[in-house]
């Protein structure tokens, strides 16, 4: 079993939809949770960074962490075609090491 | 633009050859990480350097080696290349190299081994 599981998609939604992206994990020592966006043939770009449980909002993006369920989510409101990318979750115990999910491909249709 | 630069963008070579990938971290960042991304494995951590010293090793093959120079740029050397080494190689940098630091990724080097 992988430490971090992420549905690879692809996920296709119409423009304006609310998108929900999720990761589950098995290591209860993870405390730091990140979401990266990766456009095709580009490097991952940090979107959200959260510590421990709770919600964090930044514009159209909301990150949620539920440590009791070992489940994290990224919500995208009013999705745009420019949001079409692969979304990677990443987690850390607070040491150097990030563990990444394999990514979910999102396509927002105009 | 993350501020992390990587060269070359693309590299095509043959099995058995050796290549060097180069990374310059963001200004002020002391730590560099190398990752390999393939379609079936996702982003795999290879190795981390902090201020010239190796700090941590991940799933790095013995045929691969890296170093970080006094000016903080880093090089990843891949030797005796195999078809399975074809992948995207990313460098990331952070200020202190701790797990609480944000890692900023470069644009990657696409390696194709024929």
């Amino acid at each position: 079993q992988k430490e971090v599981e992420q549905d690879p998609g692809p996920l296709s939604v119409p423009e304006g939809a609310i998108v929900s992206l999720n990761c589950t994990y098995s290591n209860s020592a993870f405390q730091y949770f990140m979401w990266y966006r990766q456009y095709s043939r580009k490097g991952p770009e940090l979107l959200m960074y959260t510590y421990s449980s709770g919600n964090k909002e930044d514009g159209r993006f909301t990150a949620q962490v539920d440590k009791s369920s070992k489940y994290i989510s990224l919500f995208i409101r009013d999705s745009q075609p420019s949001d079409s990318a692969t979304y990677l979750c990443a987690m850390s115990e607070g040491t150097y090491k990030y563990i990444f999910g394999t990514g979910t491909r999102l396509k927002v249709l105009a | 633009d993350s501020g992390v630069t990587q060269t070359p963008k693309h590299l095509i070579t043959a099995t058995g050859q050796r290549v060097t990938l180069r990374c310059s971290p963001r200004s002020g960042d002391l730590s560099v990480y190398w990752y390999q991304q393939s379609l079936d494995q996702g982003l795999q951590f290879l190795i981390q350097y902090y201020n010239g010293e190796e700090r941590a090793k991940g799933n790095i093959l013995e045929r691969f080696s890296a170093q970080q120079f006094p000016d903080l740029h880093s090089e990843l050397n891949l030797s005796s290349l195999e078809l399975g080494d074809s992948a995207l190689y990313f460098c990331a940098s952070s200020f202190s190299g701790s797990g609480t630091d944000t890692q900023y990724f470069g644009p990657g080097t696409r390696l194709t081994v024929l």
Side-chain angles (χ1 to χ4, degrees), chain A residues 54-90:
Chain A
N55 292 1
K56 184 174 182 179
E57 192 172 317
D58 184 1
R60 296 185 295 112
F61 299 91
T62 299
Q64 269 186 5
V65 175
D66 181 347
K67 289 187 74 180
S68 62
S69 302
K70 298 193 182 71
Y71 188 88
I72 70 169
S73 300
L74 178 71
F75 296 96
I76 307 173
R77 288 184 298 282
D78 187 25
S79 56
Q80 303 295 310
S82 58
D83 295 326
S84 298
T86 296
Y87 290 80
L88 302 158
C89 62

Side-chain angles (χ1 to χ4, degrees), chain A residues 32 36 38 46 49 95-96 98, chain B residues 37 48 99-103:
Chain A
Y32 299 88
Y36 283 82
Q38 186 175 20
L46 181 69
Y49 181 104
T95 63
Y96 67 91
Y98 279 22
Chain B
Q37 187 178 43
Q48 180 201 9
T100 60
D101 260 5
T102 300
Q103 293 184 24

Side-chain angles (χ1 to χ4, degrees), chain A residues 88 100-102, chain B residues 36-44:
Chain A
L88 302 158
F100 282 84
T102 48
Chain B
Q36 181 190 57
Q37 187 178 43
S38 56
L39 278 173
D40 56 342
Q41 292 291 320
L43 262 171
Q44 299 288 310

Side-chain angles (χ1 to χ4, degrees), chain B residues 4-77:
Chain B
V4 179
T5 60
Q6 288 187 250
T7 56
K9 283 187 178 176
H10 304 279
L11 207 44
I12 301 174
T13 189
T15 54
Q17 295 298 303
R18 172 188 169 95
V19 297
T20 297
L21 282 51
R22 184 188 167 103
C23 167
S24 291
R26 291 187 327 151
S27 177
D29 283 355
L30 299 174
S31 191
V32 167
Y33 310 75
W34 285 98
Y35 290 87
Q36 181 190 57
Q37 187 178 43
S38 56
L39 278 173
D40 56 342
Q41 292 291 320
L43 262 171
Q44 299 288 310
F45 168 72
L46 296 177
I47 197 163
Q48 180 201 9
Y49 280 82
Y50 174 77
N51 205 20
E53 300 287 327
E54 181 184 304
R55 177 171 272 188
K57 260 186 178 177
N59 303 322
I60 188 165
L61 299 171
E62 284 191 17
R63 301 183 285 109
F64 296 1
S65 65
Q67 57 185 88
Q68 186 180 26
F69 295 86
D71 67 352
L72 301 176
H73 91 272
S74 178
E75 292 180 359
L76 179 67
N77 299 296

